[in-house]
Amino acid sequence: PGGGAGARFEEGGCILLSKNGAKFEYEERDGSRGVQMTKFATSRYRTKVRDLIGFKNHYDVDNPVLITDSLLDPSSTDTIFFTGVDVRQASWCRESTTVVDGGGVELVSIDGKAR
């Protein structure tokens, strides 16, 4: 899909990885859909995304996706969100955002613990 990679799973559902690997889309067996940033993949998708990146990198050596430490270590909780609920949307006030080099945007929580 556009230079990315995709996978369908026996239990139903699928994951589509973006070309640069920064995000992935998922669709569950029940039809629910969502998008997550790869770096912040929840435990539900972490292993599947890590395996899909490995598959993509094996066959697309000219455009590899770098895997973050949190995806390499299955027990890592450094950048993984565990909410206990299905978060569909989040918003930030303009004051909590900063434009960084390259035109990206950094979001910082009020307590400064989440970036």
Side-chain angles (χ1 to χ4, degrees):
R8 292 202 174 274
F9 302 99
E10 286 182 354
E11 70 272 11
C14 65
I15 292 179
L16 299 173
L17 184 67
S18 66
K19 182 177 181 178
N20 66 3
K23 67 179 180 176
F24 65 94
E25 298 178 44
Y26 63 86
E27 183 174 351
E28 295 292 339
R29 170 184 270 182
D30 66 4
S32 62
R33 303 174 72 126
V35 177
Q36 290 186 23
M37 299 300 293
T38 301
K39 181 177 179 179
F40 301 111
T42 59
S43 58
R44 181 176 192 148
Y45 300 105
R46 185 181 332 144
T47 301
K48 291 177 180 178
V49 170
R50 183 185 62 224
D51 293 346
L52 184 54
I53 289 172
F55 177 84
K56 180 191 181 305
N57 287 349
H58 181 77
Y59 291 100
D60 188 8
V61 294
D62 294 330
N63 300 297
V65 172
L66 300 178
I67 300 176
T68 64
D69 291 343
S70 61
L71 285 175
L72 288 173
D73 179 3
S75 65
S76 173
T77 58
D78 288 346
T79 57
I80 308 300
F81 287 111
F82 295 98
T83 62
V85 296
D86 190 9
V87 177
R88 297 268 183 205
Q89 182 176 357
S91 61
W92 286 264
C93 61
R94 187 174 300 278
E95 293 78 28
S96 66
T97 63
T98 305
V99 177
V100 295
D101 291 341
V105 177
E106 178 183 58
L107 303 171
V108 181
S109 64
I110 293 171
D111 62 7
K113 293 181 180 179
R115 290 184 178 267

